[in-house]
Amino acid sequence: MLRGRRFAVICAGAAREGRAALDSLGAALLCSGRALAQSEPAAPARSEPASPRTVRTPPPAGSIPGVTPPVRRFALPPAHAAGRAGPGRAGGGPTARRGSAAAPLPAPGSWRRTRPPPAMLPPGALRRPLAAAAARLARAWARPEVLAFLATGPRQNDSIFYEIRTYDIKPSKMKEFVEMANKYFHLRTAHSELVGIWSAELGAMNKVVHIWKYDNFAHRTAVRHALANDKDWQGKFISPVLPLIEKQHNEVAYLVPWCQLGKPLKEGGVYEWVTFQMKPGGPALWGEAFRAAINAHINTGYTKLIGVFHTEYGLLNTVHVMWWNESPDHRAAGRHSAHEDARVVAAVRDSVRFLASQQNVLLIPLQCSPLK
C-alpha cells in the first residue's frame, strides 16, 4: 500500500514538472506492464470441478491502471461439492444441508486454487526506471529552462522586438502624406531603426504600414521621450501630418525564433503582408504546423520570405508574414504553381485547422523605406 502511494505521488509530480520526466515514467510503466503481462503463466487446460465458485477481487491499492487483476476461481473439495448437491440441509449445523449427509464446510486452508498466482516482478524492475525519472525531475528543478516547453511557444533568445504601426489616411490626403513622409522621415530614423514603410495597394486602401526595431522596452521609452523633445520632428512632420490621419494602430511583435529578418533579392518589387489570426493556444498548439506551411512555400522558390512576426501586444495569436515578389504577376504565377504542389497542399491542409481568419495586403514601399 505504501509503495503504491509513493508511486502515485511520483506520477503526479512528473506530470506537473516536465515532459522529459513523464517520458521516462511512461516508459517505465509500459515496460513494467508488459513484464507483468508476460510473466503471468496461462492456466493449464483442465476440466472444471463441480460447482466452481468465482470470486472477483477488487484491484489492490497502487495497482497499475489498465492491467486487469486476474479472476481467481476456488473449487470446493469433491466431498463438500457432492454434499451441496442434496435437496436440502441436514439438521445439525448451518454448514450441512437438510436431508443429506453432506460433509461440513472445509477449513479455509483446505481450499485449493485452480489457477496459479501471477509471477511477481523482480524487485528492481520498476525501481530503476522510477529512480531515473526522479533524477530527471531534480535536474529540471535545478535548470528551469528545461521546462520552457510549458510556455505558449518557444521563448525569444533576446529582447529585440518590432513595433508595427498602421495608419489609416484620409482618402483625399494620401498623396500629401506620402510626400511628407519621403521628405521628413529621416528626422525620425535618426532616433531608431526603421525596417520599412509601405502603402497599401491591394487588399486595403489608404493605409500606411511601418515597422520599427527596438532593442528592448527601455530603448523604446527613451526614443519616444527623445522624439517628444525633437522640435524639428514635431514641427516639420507631426503637426502638419496629424490632420491627415484618421486612425492609428500599433502592435508589438517578435520575430519567431526560427526566422531571421530577410531582405529582398533586389530593389523594386512588391511586398505581400499576410495576417493570420490563429486559434487560441499559441505556438505550442499550432507552431509546428504553421512553420511547415511557411517552409513549404519557401521551398517552391517563387517568393522570398522577409519575416514572420508573432504579436505580444495587440490582438493575440496573430501572426504577420511578409513576403517579397518581383511583381504582382510573378506572385500570381508562383502561387498558382505552388497550389499544384502536393507538399504545399498537404502542409496547408494541416495548418488551416488552427486558422481562424486570414487577410492579404499588397504593399508598395515608399521612397524613404530601407526595404525597397
Side-chain angles (χ1 to χ4, degrees):
M1 180 68 72
L2 183 57
R3 289 183 180 177
R5 291 178 180 175
R6 290 177 179 173
F7 177 74
V9 170
I10 292 175
C11 288
R16 288 192 302 266
E17 299 304 333
R19 183 183 305 158
L22 278 179
D23 290 340
S24 297
L25 192 57
L29 290 176
L30 181 60
C31 292
S32 62
R34 288 176 176 174
L36 181 61
Q38 294 174 359
S39 63
E40 183 180 350
R46 58 183 300 173
S47 59
E48 291 290 336
S51 303
R53 178 178 298 175
T54 301
V55 179
R56 185 178 295 275
T57 57
S63 62
I64 300 175
V67 178
T68 304
V71 177
R72 298 176 178 177
R73 294 178 178 271
F74 296 93
L76 297 178
H80 183 72
R84 287 175 58 98
R89 293 182 180 270
T95 59
R97 291 183 180 271
R98 295 186 180 92
S100 67
L105 286 174
S110 64
W111 288 48
R112 59 183 176 84
R113 294 180 179 179
T114 62
R115 187 177 185 181
M120 299 300 293
L121 289 176
L126 196 56
R127 186 184 307 116
R128 287 188 293 270
L130 290 180
R136 299 190 72 170
L137 282 178
R139 290 194 297 269
W141 277 111
R143 295 166 53 201
E145 64 271 14
V146 175
L147 303 179
F149 67 89
L150 295 176
T152 57
R155 297 184 178 182
Q156 302 295 323
N157 296 324
D158 52 46
S159 58
I160 295 176
F161 68 87
Y162 298 83
E163 182 180 5
I164 304 169
R165 299 176 73 94
T166 303
Y167 294 168
D168 288 356
I169 310 300
K170 294 179 180 179
S172 61
K173 303 296 184 180
M174 186 64 186
K175 181 180 178 181
E176 184 179 350
F177 179 91
V178 171
E179 291 175 351
M180 293 286 292
N182 287 329
K183 185 176 181 180
Y184 293 113
F185 237 52
H186 68 279
L187 300 175
R188 175 61 181 85
T189 56
H191 294 274
S192 64
E193 181 180 349
L194 173 66
V195 175
I197 179 170
W198 303 265
S199 62
E201 180 69 16
L202 298 173
M205 299 182 68
N206 303 307
K207 283 185 180 292
V208 173
V209 178
H210 42 122
I211 304 175
W212 301 89
K213 180 180 178 181
Y214 293 101
D215 296 334
N216 48 50
F217 288 98
H219 178 212
R220 181 183 182 277
T221 300
V223 169
R224 301 300 298 175
H225 180 75
L227 288 172
N229 294 308
D230 188 330
K231 295 182 179 179
D232 285 343
W233 172 248
Q234 294 293 331
K236 295 181 179 180
F237 183 80
I238 294 297
S239 296
V241 161
L242 281 180
L244 312 180
I245 301 175
E246 284 189 335
K247 185 172 62 176
Q248 293 176 302
H249 175 72
N250 74 334
E251 297 171 287
V252 169
Y254 292 97
L255 276 175
V256 295
W258 45 270
C259 173
Q260 300 295 324
L261 192 63
K263 293 184 178 180
L265 300 178
K266 59 183 180 180
E267 288 193 2
V270 296
Y271 292 79
E272 183 182 8
W273 182 251
V274 189
T275 300
F276 299 92
Q277 184 58 46
M278 309 302 293
K279 293 181 180 179
L285 176 66
W286 42 259
E288 291 301 322
F290 188 87
R291 180 179 182 179
I294 295 296
N295 288 336
H297 282 88
I298 294 175
N299 293 335
T300 61
Y302 80 90
T303 185
K304 168 68 175 178
L305 178 66
I306 302 300
V308 181
F309 304 88
H310 180 220
T311 57
E312 178 75 11
Y313 288 96
L315 187 59
L316 297 181
N317 297 299
T318 301
V319 182
H320 300 289
V321 182
M322 177 170 278
W323 303 91
W324 176 87
N325 295 277
E326 292 184 6
S327 67
D329 290 326
H330 182 267
R331 172 198 172 275
R335 286 186 64 84
H336 180 75
S337 61
H339 289 169
E340 297 178 348
D341 189 318
R343 296 167 299 176
V344 175
V345 173
V348 170
R349 285 180 177 176
D350 185 50
S351 64
V352 294
R353 56 196 173 104
F354 303 111
L355 183 64
S357 64
Q358 176 181 345
Q359 182 183 15
N360 289 25
V361 179
L362 190 70
L363 300 176
I364 305 298
L366 270 62
Q367 183 181 350
C368 60
S369 176
L371 288 180
K372 291 184 172 62

